[in-house]
Amino acid sequence: MTAPEAINQLLPSYEGYYDIVRENVLPPFAAEAKFISHQEQYFLVHSAKLSDIDSTEHVYFAAEQNLSFARLKELSETAWENGIKDVVPYYGHRNSDITVIAVCDSADADAMANCKKIKYSKTYKFMLHGWSNFKLAVVDLSTGKVAANWQGGDLKTFLLKAMKKTGAIN
């Protein structure tokens, strides 16, 4: 299975909670997914609002033949810069996370080993107006391995299960 085919098999697992975009996506990426959550808490009646909480996640899917560490850094920088532009911090903003999932036919050992070194984060008004974190995961279809940075640790187990379920890796 090639990387674009694996992404097409992976996207249905995101469709339940995310809005998937397959056309007119940011140029180096094959697809995008966006999750938006808005919660409000009240005390007895709607006019007595206690809190207003917004949380978003923007996921970029990249399909690569041979992934090098330089290309991985380039994908990460592009996604971070594009995702941060859309953040509007205010008192009710909790977090806006940017995620890159790079699925590749083969990855350099350097890219897999140093994936965890790519980190971005930003706080808004000392976290009073929320924060943004960067999650990264790399799926190497030739070896069946998944690597992730510290923030993307939860993606690692999810992607292993999803890729095994779809038959992309054994």
Side-chain angles (χ1 to χ4, degrees), residues 43-60:
F43 181 72
L44 298 178
V45 293
H46 286 287
S47 60
K49 188 187 292 188
L50 293 175
S51 67
D52 199 16
I53 303 167
D54 286 330
S55 181
T56 64
E57 183 179 6
H58 203 110
V59 183
Y60 296 92

Side-chain angles (χ1 to χ4, degrees), residues 7-55:
I7 287 177
N8 284 335
Q9 294 289 326
L10 179 63
L11 286 176
S13 62
Y14 276 85
E15 286 178 343
Y17 296 99
Y18 291 76
D19 295 328
I20 307 293
V21 178
R22 296 175 193 236
E23 298 171 359
N24 299 325
V25 297
L26 191 63
F29 298 103
E32 295 176 18
K34 192 161 190 172
F35 172 79
I36 299 170
S37 171
H38 177 78
Q39 298 175 358
E40 296 176 346
Q41 294 179 341
Y42 304 99
F43 181 72
L44 298 178
V45 293
H46 286 287
S47 60
K49 188 187 292 188
L50 293 175
S51 67
D52 199 16
I53 303 167
D54 286 330
S55 181

